[in-house]
Amino acid sequence: MLDELTDKFTEARMEIADALDSKETVYFNEDAKIALEITEDTLNHFENILKTVDDENKAKEIKTSWGMRIEQLKQEAELLKDADDH
């Protein structure tokens, strides 16, 4: 499950970067839509992992190791949303 999260996280960050690179082009809206969908999928996957972990210590370990990266992804998605507003 964590390997899949790593893959989703990497893909989401790349899509956000691509979308930001396409700002002020005709491709931006579609790129942003794809990036935000993938980001949402990644965040949902993270939450599902936490819900399925039976061991409280393991869940805490996952939160500790992934918490900063998940917050980073959320912030990058917000930057993308802000870029769309301007």
Side-chain angles (χ1 to χ4, degrees):
M1 287 193 311
L2 291 177
D3 287 341
E4 186 177 353
L5 180 60
T6 299
D7 293 343
K8 287 177 180 284
F9 175 81
T10 301
E11 182 181 10
R13 293 210 52 226
M14 287 190 324
E15 291 294 338
I16 290 171
D18 288 347
L20 289 171
D21 287 344
S22 71
K23 185 179 175 189
E24 298 180 15
T25 71
V26 297
Y27 305 106
F28 177 75
N29 288 337
E30 185 65 25
D31 289 349
K33 179 182 174 195
I34 291 168
L36 292 173
E37 287 171 356
I38 293 170
T39 298
E40 188 67 28
D41 182 52
T42 303
L43 297 175
N44 289 335
H45 189 72
F46 176 69
E47 290 301 321
N48 288 336
I49 288 172
L50 294 179
K51 288 178 186 174
T52 60
V53 173
D54 294 333
D55 181 357
E56 189 175 315
N57 288 330
K58 181 68 175 171
K60 186 175 181 179
E61 180 183 312
I62 292 169
K63 283 181 187 177
T64 300
S65 66
W66 275 92
M68 292 292 286
R69 288 182 269 186
I70 294 298
E71 287 306 312
Q72 175 187 12
L73 187 61
K74 289 177 183 178
Q75 291 301 316
E76 290 173 354
E78 285 301 314
L79 285 174
L80 186 56
K81 290 176 185 176
D82 289 345
D84 191 24
D85 292 339
H86 294 102

